[in-house]
Structure formats: C-alpha cells, structure tokens
C-alpha cells in the first residue's frame, strides 16, 4: 500500500511526461487495432465475394471472336471454365448534365446467368432476354437518384436507346471501377458498371454471336504463366489486345495494394511507437531510480528484497503500458467505424462491416505489456547492484573532458554563457541528446513524408493532365479511323483550335525470358497536345526511331539506353527488335512511346488514330460535346476539367488524414522533447537555482535549456531530410505496379512545413518548462543534500 501511494505520488509529480508516454502508446495501438480490424474485415469481404460470385483467374480482350470459338480455349489443358462476353463503354444521355457519363456495359446470359464475375443483385428483379433492361452499379444508381422502373437513355452506335432500370448490382470484377490507366479515380456518377442481356447487346452493337472479352479460370496444379503462351496463340487470330491474370486486373490490383498497405501499417506502426515510448520510459525510470537512491537504501534496510524494490519500479512501466494499451485499443475500435465508411465510399464490396477483433485487442495489449516490461526492467535493473549503504550515498560526480566544440576556438568564443552551457550539456549527456535527436528526426520525417503526399498526388494526376496530356478534350474512338478523314472534319468544327491524332496499340515486350504486356502510344513528333516530361518537368523529344520507355519498365527488364528489346503486337506482321532510345519517369500507367510516323512504318498501314486530342476555344466545350454525343464512332468524350474535378472530389476525404498524421508527429516531437527537458531540469535543479541566486532572470535560465533544444531541433531537422528521402524511396518501391508508381518528390515547402512543426513542438515545451523554472523553490533546492 505504501509503495503504491508512493508510485501515484511520483507519477503525479511528472504527470505530463507519463501522459506523453500513454499518448504515444495509444496512438501506435490505435492505428494498429483500427487498421488491423479494417484489413481483417476487408479481406474477409473480398475473399467471400470473390468465391461466392466466381471471380475469374485471368482475362483477355480481343477485337472480336465468335462465341462458338471459345471451345478452342476450353481445349487447353489446365483451363477450367471459359466465358465470353461483350464489354463496351457506352455513353449515358443526360442532356441536363454537362459532364461526360459513361457506363461499362457487360453482357449478361439471361438463360444460365454468367458463370464468372457474376453480378450480385442488391435490389430489383431479373433482366429478361431480348428486352432493353439494365442492372446498374449501385453507386451510379444512388448518385443519380434513380428508381427501379426508370428509363435510362444511352447512346449506342450513334442511336439513343432507352433502358428500363431493373436493379442495382455489385460484381467482383469492379470492386474499384477503373475506366482507364490514366483515369484511376472517377466519381460513381460519371463511371460505373452495368449489365444488359447478351442477345439485346449483340443486337444493339451489331455483333451477332460475337464476344470481345473473355474470362476464364485455371485448374488446380496449373498457373497463368505456364498457360499464357498457349492462350496467346489461340487468341492472336482474333486480334488479341491484352491478356492478364487476376493479379493485374485493375480493380483487384488496387484493392490488393490497399490491403497490403493496411496490413503493413497495422503491423509496423505499433512497433515504432512502442519503441519510442519504451525509450522514454527507460530514461524516466533510470532517472527516477537515480534520484531515489536514498529511498531505495531505506527500503532495503527495512527488509525489502531487491526483487520487491525492482518490482515496485517496474510497476510504473506496467501501469503506463496497461493504460496506454487499453486507451489505444478503445480508440482503435472507435476509429475503425469511420474508417470503414471511408472504404465503403471507394470500394463496391458487399458486407463491409466492422467486427470486434479479440485477436487484435489481445495482440495490442500483449505488445504494450512486453515493451513496458522491457522499459521497466532496463530502467530499474541498476537496483539489483545496490546495497543499502551504497544506495544512501549519491554517486560520485563524473569528470568531463572538453567537448569537440570547445576545441574549436572560433566557434566557442562566439557563444554566450547560455550557449556554452547548452553545448556542454548536449555532449555530456550523449544518451539523452541522441534520444532527443532521433525523436526529432523521426517526427520531422513523418511530417515531411505526410505533407509530401499532396505533391505526390499532384505529380501523379494533376501534372498528367497539365504537363503531359495538354489537350482540353479527347474523343475516344470505338474503331481506329483514318487520320486525314477525321482531321478534315474537325477543321470545320466551330471551337476546335487544334486536333491531333493519338495511336495506341497493344504490345508485348520480351527480354531475358521475361515478357510483359504494355500499350505503345504513337505521338506526332511535333505534338502540342501531348508531351513526355522528365523528372524536372522538362519536355523530352520523342525519338524519331526506336522506343521511349518508363523507368520502371527499364528497371524490370534490366534495360539501358541503346539496348535492344523484342516487341510483339497483334498489329505487327512479326516481332521486331527495337532500340531503347529514351528512358523517362512515368507515374500513371506504364506506357511505351514512339513517334507516330515511325509506328505507321512498322505497322505498314496508312495513318490512323485510336483517339483524337482537341484544343478547344473557351465556351465551346459543351457545343463540341453535344456535336459528338451521338457520333457513331465516338466511344466517349473525355474532358480534362471534369477529370481533374473528379480527382479533387475523390481525394478530398483523404486530405484531413494527412494533417491528422502531421499533428500526431508534432505530438510525438513534443512528448520526446518535453521528457528530455523535464529530466534535464530535475538533474540540474541546483545549477539553475544557483543561477537564480546569482541574479539571473528565469528567462535567462530558460535560455540554457532552450538553446540546447533549438540546437538539437535544427540538427534533427537537417538530418531528417535524408531520412525522409529514404522513407519515400522505401514507400515507392512498395507502391509500384502496372497502374501507378509512387513518385519520390520532395519540395522545399514540405521541409519548411515539417520544420515549422518541430518549432511548434519546441515552443510548446518551452512554455511548460519555463513555468517549472519560475516555480523553482530556490531555498528548498539549495538545502538538498549534495
């Protein structure tokens, strides 16, 4: 009971320092519990949805293929089920809405239902054969405030077709709908999935008995890589455009990336925060034991064993660990609910609910207790070596040599008295100084990394549509068309200031036994509407011959400038060896670039275009959209401003999270600097009291501590710069796939913001510490026995 009261009294004397430890433990465990529970529920929802609704193992897109020829693929040993579908992007006709609205229409077998990637009917009734009925993605349906039985007009083949809305669906193939590699984020009101009876779709598209999209599953014991060549050989005659397994399926790829990130963060974050709290606790307990040597001697003299005394001090750490563990777990459970709502906003997964996870709760508590025990034992083990008589004496003072700075006369003479005392204290307490410095580096790096996310997103998306794709509008063609015919028509279109063709052909790169599918972009050499830029955002001229490839492709294939690489494409008569003429950074997609004239020569075809880029006079956007709204060969009209607005609306909910993490980093810096300052203050009470007796104002005394903090703060911020680069490089290597590459961009303003965060933490600490210095009882302090 006596020891318990003593512990409470000790803790109350330094309650802010102990609360800092609890705060850091709580933040780490809150993140761990929330993300652990979320990832567990997301993985369960994904696996269940994929299994129940038969998510395919691989996908292929072809120009056109008779449905009856699917048997050729079924005959490949290792292929289990095969299903062919018609999949086309169609425009929704909403004259009152100025935005481009597109649905990815997928055919549905009304007799047997789709075998693979089955739609999950949330509400409504079945669609019937040969009827113009449609199931809509639930988010599109909700965004447009539609009702069952409503009519939805769409433009197919240049004609307006009215569909009856029969229900809302979700499908494992479009958990995260992606329109294209360069349009990763679309609001559901502008792009979503839809299902229409196959026989109605083949009639409207004039594709009787044809499919253009194939999904298949693979038997156990086989894998996609071993079957890929056989499948390609079967599909090449049908104009194979792309072939990929479910790992590269855009929706699944983005979902898996998010899940992997959640699992990584939930497992690594608590370790980082608990390590920080362990070091703080260790330093505090070691100092407490040193201060209470006399008490320890008395306790031992009264018969308390070493283990009992040590157990008393370990209890300090255990109490902090338990309180921090419980607080962090409770906050994590509470945080999981709003986080899940955020995921519901982005992912179309049924059954997204938060379930309490006993495993994550116990795991967090066990982690908190283990780290607290380590801190408690390490900080108090010195007690085991003390006998009562020795404990009742203060330790002999240490003697220190001159510091490195003292030997540099010019610098040393430039310092005032407070500066000299601060420098000496930094070097004489190397452990505590190193701890403070590491804490500042860590906090600075977290803040800089978090704040750099805004620039990263800008570089990935905003720069893509301002520095690279500089057109105002793009007409995506359903079928490649002759360039001269299109351009001559556009020349007479009011509001079109400039029109340029863009060619896109599917291709496969092969090198050193490795092969990957990419899209080759053919761009006019004098293009004003599409530029490729380097890391400094300067335009890079597309070479007149050879290939321009992204850095990630060069790295994956081990390619350098001047190397040859084998390229295949269904548009080429035979494979070609092409020279790598340029390597450029690319953050959105992984496309290869080629001069369009050179591409036409390779293909031995007249000039054609897959899409047309337009520069449009202000005020003519809607007129041009209306003009091409029902054009037969225009799949959809893409307006750059809409894409950018959609992007800003989609990333908007994430921005507050960036500043929350920045605020947490400031709190960590505050906790570390405050703890180090309180310990320093308790060790140097007599020194500070003596200064006061000699006539120094509390502010002048405070300057000794504050100078020390400013020096460590500035040095920590400088050392935090390379650490931030290292952290971003590590993140970039993790978040790198066929859809996007996380850029490692760090602008000076990011470091400035992080430095301001450190200054704020130091300023707040100094306010608290100054109050303690002012409150020092000089007489009592000087009466204490040396």
């Amino acid at each position: 009971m006596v020891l318990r009261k003593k512990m409470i009294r000790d803790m109350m004397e330094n309650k802010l320092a102990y609360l800092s430890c609890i705060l850091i433990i709580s933040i780490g465990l809150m993140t761990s519990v929330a993300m652990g529970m979320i990832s567990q529920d997301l993985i369960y929802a994904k696996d269940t949805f994929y299994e129940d609704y038969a998510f395919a193992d691989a996908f292929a897109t072809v120009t056109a293929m008779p449905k009856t020829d699917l048997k050729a693929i079924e005959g490949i040993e290792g292929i289990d089920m095969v299903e062919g579908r018609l999949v086309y992007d169609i425009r929704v006709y909403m004259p009152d809405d100025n935005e481009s609205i597109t649905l990815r229409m997928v055919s549905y077998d009304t007799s047997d239902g789709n075998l693979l990637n089955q739609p999950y009917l949330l509400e409504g009734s079945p669609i019937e054969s040969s009827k113009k009925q449609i199931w809509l993605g639930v988010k599109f349906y909700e965004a447009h405030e539609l009702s069952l039985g409503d009519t939805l007009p769409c433009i197919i083949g240049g004609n307006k077709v009215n569909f009856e809305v029969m229900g809302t669906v979700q499908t494992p193939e479009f958990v995260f709908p992606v329109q294209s590699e360069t349009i990763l984020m679309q609001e559901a009101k502008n792009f979503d999935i839809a299902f229409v009876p196959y026989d109605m779709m083949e009639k409207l598209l004039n594709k009787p008995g044809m499919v253009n999209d194939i999904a298949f599953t693979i038997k156990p014991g086989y894998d996609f890589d071993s079957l890929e060549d056989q499948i390609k050989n079967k599909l090449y005659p049908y104009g194979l455009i792309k072939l990929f397994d479910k790992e590269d399926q855009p929706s699944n790829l983005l979902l898996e990336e998010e899940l992997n990130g959640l699992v990584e963060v939930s497992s690594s974050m608590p370790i980082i925060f608990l390590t920080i709290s362990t070091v703080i606790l260790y330093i505090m307990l070691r100092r407490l034991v040193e201060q209470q040597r006399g008490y320890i001697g008395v306790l031992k003299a009264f018969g308390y064993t070493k283990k009992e005394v040590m157990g008393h001090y370990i209890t300090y750490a255990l109490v902090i660990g338990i309180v921090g563990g419980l607080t962090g777990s409770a906050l994590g459970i509470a945080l999981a609910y709003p986080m899940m709502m955020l995921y519901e906003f982005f992912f179309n997964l049924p059954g997204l609910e938060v379930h309490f996870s006993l495993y994550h709760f116990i795991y967090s508590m066990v982690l908190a207790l283990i780290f607290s025990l380590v801190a408690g034992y390490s900080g108090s083990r010195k007690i085991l070596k003390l006998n009562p008589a020795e404990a009742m004496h203060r330790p002999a003072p240490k003697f220190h040599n001159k510091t490195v700075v003292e030997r540099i006369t010019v610098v040393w003479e430039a310092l005032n008295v407070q500066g000299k005392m601060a420098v000496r204290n930094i070097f004489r307490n190397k452990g505590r100084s190193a701890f403070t410095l590491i804490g500042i580096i860590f906090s600075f790096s977290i803040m800089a990394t978090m704040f750099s996310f805004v620039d990263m997103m800008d570089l990935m998306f905003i720069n893509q549509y301002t520095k690279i794709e500089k057109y105002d509008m793009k007409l995506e063609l359903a079928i490649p068309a002759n360039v001269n015919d299109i351009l001559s028509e556009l020349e007479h279109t009011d509001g079109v200031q400039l029109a340029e063709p863009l060619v896109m052909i599917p291709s496969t790169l092969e090198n050193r036994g490795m092969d990957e599918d990419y899209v080759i972009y053919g761009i006019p050499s004098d293009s004003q509407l599409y530029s490729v830029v380097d890391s400094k955002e300067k335009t890079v001229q597309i070479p007149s011959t050879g290939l321009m490839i992204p850095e990630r492709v060069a790295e994956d294939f081990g390619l350098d400038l001047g190397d040859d690489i084998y390229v295949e494409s269904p548009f080429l008569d035979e494979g070609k060896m092409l020279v790598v003429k340029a390597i450029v950074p690319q953050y959105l997609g992984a496309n290869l670039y080629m001069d369009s004239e050179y591409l036409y020569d390779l293909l031995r075809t007249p000039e054609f275009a897959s899409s047309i880029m337009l520069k449009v006079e202000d005020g003519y956007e809607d007129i041009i959209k209306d003009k091409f709204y029902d054009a037969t060969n225009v799949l959809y009209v893409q307006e750059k401003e809409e894409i950018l607005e959609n992007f800003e609306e989609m990333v908007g909910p994430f921005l507050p999270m960036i500043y929350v993490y920045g605020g947490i980093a400031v709190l960590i810096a505050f906790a570390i600097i405050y703890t180090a300052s309180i310990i320093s203050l308790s060790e140097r009470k007599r020194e500070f009291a003596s200064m006061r007796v000699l006539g120094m104002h509390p502010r002048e005394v405070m300057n000794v501590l504050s100078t020390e903090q400013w020096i460590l703060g500035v040095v920590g911020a400088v050392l935090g710069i390379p650490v931030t680069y290292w952290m971003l490089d590590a993140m970039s290597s993790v978040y790198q796939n066929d859809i996007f590459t996380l850029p490692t961009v760090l602008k000076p303003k990011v470091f400035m913001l992080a430095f301001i965060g450190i200054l704020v933490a130091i300023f707040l600490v100094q306010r608290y510490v100054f109050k303690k210095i002012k409150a020092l009882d000089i007489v009592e302090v000087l009466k204490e026995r040396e």
Side-chain angles (χ1 to χ4, degrees):
M1 179 62 76
V2 174
L3 293 181
R4 196 180 307 158
K5 287 182 177 177
K6 172 182 171 298
M7 181 185 73
I8 295 171
R9 191 170 58 247
D10 288 342
M11 285 186 162
M12 291 306 292
E13 284 181 5
N14 280 309
K15 52 183 177 294
L16 200 54
Y18 286 106
L19 282 173
S20 300
C21 283
I22 292 173
L23 178 69
I24 292 172
I25 294 172
S26 300
I27 291 171
L29 296 184
M30 175 186 70
T31 311
S32 172
V33 171
M35 292 191 172
M37 287 172 57
I38 292 285
S39 62
Q40 176 182 283
D41 290 330
L42 279 173
I43 290 170
Y44 177 77
K46 180 207 72 170
D47 290 345
T48 305
F49 194 35
Y50 280 9
E51 185 178 349
D52 292 349
Y53 291 86
F55 185 52
D57 293 326
F59 303 81
T61 304
V62 295
T63 306
M65 179 182 187
K67 208 172 180 181
T68 51
D69 288 0
L70 290 172
K71 290 178 182 175
I73 301 176
E74 289 173 344
I76 297 173
E77 186 177 349
I79 296 293
D80 190 6
M81 289 191 290
V82 179
E83 184 165 64
R85 310 168 301 174
L86 286 170
V87 178
Y88 283 92
D89 285 358
I90 56 104
R91 282 168 289 149
V92 179
Y93 182 74
M94 289 191 179
D96 295 335
D97 197 327
N98 290 328
E99 297 186 42
S100 295
I101 303 169
T102 305
L103 284 174
R104 181 147 301 166
M105 192 174 281
V106 181
S107 63
Y108 181 73
D109 185 343
T110 52
S111 55
D112 300 323
N114 287 7
L115 294 174
L116 302 173
N117 305 319
Q118 300 162 2
Y120 166 46
L121 186 61
L122 291 164
E123 65 169 330
S125 54
I127 48 179
E128 297 179 28
S129 173
S130 302
K131 289 193 175 180
K132 293 174 185 173
Q133 296 180 337
I134 193 168
W135 283 332
L136 295 172
V138 62
K139 289 187 175 174
F140 179 90
Y141 176 85
E142 291 172 351
H144 289 280
E145 300 179 346
L146 295 169
S147 302
L148 297 181
D150 281 358
T151 298
L152 186 74
C154 299
I155 305 297
I156 300 180
N159 300 312
K160 189 169 79 171
V161 180
N162 290 323
F163 287 96
E164 182 184 2
V165 179
M166 298 300 290
T168 61
V169 293
Q170 291 176 320
T171 171
E173 196 177 358
F174 290 90
V175 170
F176 187 93
V178 177
Q179 186 170 1
S180 71
E181 290 177 346
T182 54
I183 311 178
L184 288 186
M185 293 190 175
Q186 275 278 60
E187 280 192 283
K189 67 176 183 178
N190 294 328
F191 178 75
D192 209 336
I193 187 74
F195 286 87
V196 168
Y198 174 81
D199 46 7
M200 177 52 64
M201 203 163 160
E202 66 174 351
K203 182 180 173 184
L204 293 171
L205 293 165
N206 194 23
K207 303 279 184 185
M210 305 297 283
V211 296
N212 72 328
D213 189 275
I214 303 159
F216 46 91
T217 54
I218 297 170
K219 290 178 181 174
Y222 295 86
D223 58 45
F224 177 77
D225 292 339
S226 63
L227 301 173
E228 187 176 3
D229 288 341
Q230 294 182 69
I231 300 169
K232 276 184 178 177
N233 291 334
K234 294 286 184 186
L235 294 178
Y236 265 135
Y238 304 103
L240 176 64
I241 296 172
K242 55 185 174 183
L243 172 67
F244 51 93
D245 65 357
K246 66 180 180 185
E247 306 300 329
D248 292 327
Q249 201 266 342
S251 166
N252 182 59
L253 179 64
L254 290 171
L255 177 59
E256 290 290 349
E257 287 283 350
E258 184 59 33
L259 290 174
N260 291 337
L262 272 177
V263 172
E264 286 284 333
V265 172
S266 68
S267 56
S268 60
M269 196 63 82
I271 303 299
I272 295 171
F273 280 81
L274 285 170
T275 302
I276 295 171
S277 67
T278 299
V279 175
I280 294 176
L281 272 174
Y282 162 74
I283 292 175
M284 289 175 62
L285 285 175
R286 197 182 68 166
R287 178 59 201 156
L288 189 67
V289 167
E290 201 61 48
Q291 278 183 322
Q292 297 186 351
R293 284 169 63 102
Y295 295 121
I296 293 168
V298 172
L299 288 172
K300 288 187 173 182
F302 279 128
Y304 283 89
T305 65
K306 292 179 179 177
K307 289 184 179 177
E308 286 173 324
V309 177
M310 188 174 179
H312 164 66
Y313 285 99
I314 288 178
T315 307
Y316 287 66
L318 284 177
V319 168
I320 297 299
I322 290 170
V323 174
L326 288 172
T327 308
S329 298
L331 291 173
I333 293 167
L335 181 65
Y337 289 91
M339 279 187 72
M340 185 59 93
M341 291 171 67
L342 202 59
Y343 282 102
E344 283 182 70
F345 176 73
F346 284 99
F347 295 111
N348 288 309
L349 267 175
L352 278 186
E353 294 177 354
V354 178
H355 296 92
F356 172 72
S357 169
L358 186 61
Y359 165 78
H360 286 100
F361 175 74
I362 293 176
Y363 174 73
S364 299
M365 290 304 300
V366 169
L367 271 184
L369 289 176
I370 290 174
F371 276 83
S372 301
L373 273 173
V374 170
Y377 173 76
S378 304
S380 59
R381 65 180 175 177
K382 195 174 180 182
I383 295 169
L384 294 173
K385 300 176 183 176
L386 294 174
N387 58 50
E390 185 186 1
M392 290 182 190
H393 289 284
R394 284 199 169 270
K398 295 178 182 176
F399 292 95
H400 300 278
N401 295 321
K402 280 187 176 181
T403 64
V404 177
V405 180
E406 285 180 78
R407 294 192 178 97
I408 306 172
T409 311
V410 178
V411 177
W412 188 250
E413 292 299 329
L415 296 172
N416 59 18
V417 175
Q418 288 93 337
K420 288 176 180 176
M421 294 175 77
V423 170
R424 279 182 180 142
N425 193 51
I426 288 173
F427 283 91
R428 288 174 181 177
N429 294 281
K430 293 185 179 66
R432 193 168 62 240
S433 300
F435 162 70
T436 308
L437 195 62
I438 291 170
I440 291 171
I441 293 171
F442 177 71
S443 304
F444 179 89
S445 303
I446 288 182
M447 279 188 274
T449 303
M450 286 297 117
F451 295 145
S452 68
F453 267 105
V454 177
D455 292 326
M456 283 186 206
M457 301 301 272
D458 282 352
L459 189 57
M460 284 177 68
F461 294 96
I462 305 297
N463 277 20
Q464 180 73 27
Y465 289 100
T466 53
K467 309 285 184 187
I468 298 173
E469 300 182 37
K470 296 185 283 191
Y471 52 81
D472 297 319
M473 303 176 81
K474 188 166 78 170
L475 308 180
E476 202 69 43
L477 304 179
I479 301 170
N482 184 283
V483 169
N484 293 328
D485 293 345
I486 301 175
L487 294 185
S488 61
E489 181 184 345
L490 288 167
E491 279 179 8
H492 304 291
T493 303
D494 290 342
V496 175
Q497 294 178 325
L498 181 64
E500 290 181 359
L502 184 65
V503 188
M504 291 177 280
I505 66 164
S507 65
T508 303
L509 295 191
E510 292 182 24
N511 192 42
R512 301 176 185 176
M514 176 180 172
D515 62 270
E516 282 286 338
D517 295 333
Y518 298 99
V519 175
I520 295 178
Y521 277 47
I523 300 169
S525 56
D526 57 349
S527 176
Q528 298 177 44
L529 302 181
Y530 201 111
S531 302
V532 182
V533 298
D534 61 15
S535 57
K536 295 178 180 174
E537 301 181 2
K538 291 184 178 175
T539 301
V540 179
Q541 183 64 41
I542 295 174
S544 56
T545 61
L547 270 177
M548 175 185 276
I549 62 174
E551 288 174 346
R552 190 179 69 77
V553 175
E555 188 179 327
D556 290 347
F557 282 88
L559 293 171
D560 210 339
L561 290 177
D563 287 348
D564 292 330
I565 187 161
Y566 186 73
V567 180
E568 276 192 340
S569 171
F571 289 78
L572 288 168
D573 295 336
E574 58 183 7
K576 305 278 184 188
M577 289 297 293
L578 298 178
V579 182
V580 176
K581 289 292 186 70
I583 300 173
V584 292
Q586 189 177 358
Y587 306 116
L588 212 53
N591 305 314
L592 316 179
Y593 297 106
M594 195 179 278
D595 184 296
S596 57
E597 291 296 329
Y598 178 62
L599 181 58
Y600 295 137
D601 289 343
L602 288 177
L603 298 176
R604 297 176 184 174
T605 60
E607 296 182 358
F608 69 90
S610 309
S611 55
I612 300 293
M613 301 176 288
L614 302 177
K615 184 171 177 54
V616 177
E617 193 176 335
D618 288 344
Y620 278 85
E621 293 85 357
D622 292 340
I623 296 171
I624 291 174
K625 270 199 295 188
D626 289 341
K627 176 179 174 61
F628 292 102
Y629 218 93
D630 52 358
T632 309
N633 196 32
V634 176
L635 205 56
Y636 56 83
V637 182
Q638 192 180 89
E639 191 175 353
K640 187 169 70 178
E641 286 302 318
E642 282 180 22
I643 296 172
L644 292 174
E645 286 173 11
N646 282 335
F647 166 73
E648 287 173 2
E649 288 181 23
M650 292 289 281
V651 301
F654 279 109
L655 291 179
M657 294 293 291
I658 292 174
Y659 295 104
V660 167
Y661 278 112
I664 289 174
V666 174
L667 282 176
I668 293 171
F670 172 84
I672 291 171
I673 298 168
Y674 177 79
T675 305
S677 302
I678 289 299
I679 291 171
S680 182
L681 181 63
S682 66
E683 286 177 346
R684 300 162 67 187
K685 274 183 182 174
R686 287 180 62 81
E687 181 183 335
F688 292 151
S690 300
M691 291 181 191
R692 294 286 308 280
V693 169
L694 291 172
M696 291 177 73
H697 188 272
R699 179 63 63 187
E700 293 174 304
V701 177
M702 180 65 210
N703 283 343
V704 178
L705 266 180
S706 60
T707 304
E708 185 180 328
Q709 290 165 351
W710 291 125
I711 291 172
L712 291 173
V714 171
V715 173
V718 171
L719 295 177
I721 293 173
V723 175
T724 308
Y725 276 104
W726 174 80
M727 286 174 72
L728 277 184
D729 277 339
M731 288 174 62
S732 179
S733 63
V734 172
Y735 292 99
Q736 181 171 278
N737 53 54
D738 288 342
I739 295 181
F740 66 87
T741 299
L742 202 63
T744 53
V745 56
L746 283 166
K747 295 185 177 178
K749 70 173 184 185
V750 166
F751 294 123
M752 187 60 69
L753 284 172
F755 187 60
I756 290 172
I758 295 296
L759 296 185
V760 169
I762 292 175
F763 174 74
L764 293 175
V765 168
Q766 289 180 357
R767 289 196 64 181
Y768 280 99
V769 175
F770 181 60
K771 288 179 183 175
K772 286 187 174 288
I773 289 177
K774 278 179 72 177
L776 270 180
D777 188 334
I778 301 172
V779 177
E780 280 300 316
V781 171
L782 294 177
K783 276 167 63 181
E784 287 180 9
R785 184 168 57 94
E786 184 63 55

